[in-house]
Amino acid sequence: MGNNFYTPFQKFWNNSSTTPASFSSIDIVATEDGTTVLLTPRTAVTGHVQDVTFTISLNEGQKYSARDMDVNAATSLAGSIISSDKPIAVTLFSG
């Protein structure tokens, strides 16, 4: 839990080496009502473009999921920046 995260993902192996192909993703859960989260994805995620910060508003227990749109290792979510005004929990998935 915390307020500032820099996401580590591997950038060597493609996620398509699994069957079915898998994608890297980030799950963010709010611990308090009225939480504002800023996310800067290092690759395009569903509904948002690469390297453009966007805002997510969450209440306690609500979750936001961001998924990489490409299975190539070179376009993973490695280096994405997450920050919030209240504590959040972040889960990373790749594979």
Side-chain angles (χ1 to χ4, degrees), residues 3-4 10 17 22-23 25-28 34 36 53 56-58 63 66-67 70 78 81 84-85 88 90-91 94-95:
N3 294 80
N4 296 296
Q10 66 86 20
S17 60
S22 57
F23 299 84
S25 65
I26 299 169
D27 291 331
I28 302 166
T36 300
T53 303
I56 306 151
S57 297
L58 299 170
K63 178 179 98 170
R67 189 185 89 168
D70 196 331
I81 301 167
S84 64
D85 63 343
I88 56 174
V90 174
T91 302
S94 183

Side-chain angles (χ1 to χ4, degrees), residues 6-72:
Y6 183 77
T7 61
F9 283 95
Q10 66 86 20
K11 294 187 77 163
F12 186 75
W13 290 285
N14 291 335
N15 285 332
S16 62
S17 60
T18 62
T19 302
S22 57
F23 299 84
S24 59
S25 65
I26 299 169
D27 291 331
I28 302 166
V29 180
T31 63
E32 297 180 30
D33 287 342
T35 301
T36 300
V37 180
L38 300 176
L39 175 57
T40 307
R42 294 303 181 206
T43 190
V45 296
T46 305
H48 299 280
V49 297
Q50 175 180 345
D51 294 326
V52 176
T53 303
F54 62 95
T55 303
I56 306 151
S57 297
L58 299 170
N59 285 319
E60 181 179 359
Q62 287 184 318
K63 178 179 98 170
Y64 177 83
S65 295
R67 189 185 89 168
D68 185 357
M69 299 301 297
D70 196 331
V71 295
N72 294 316

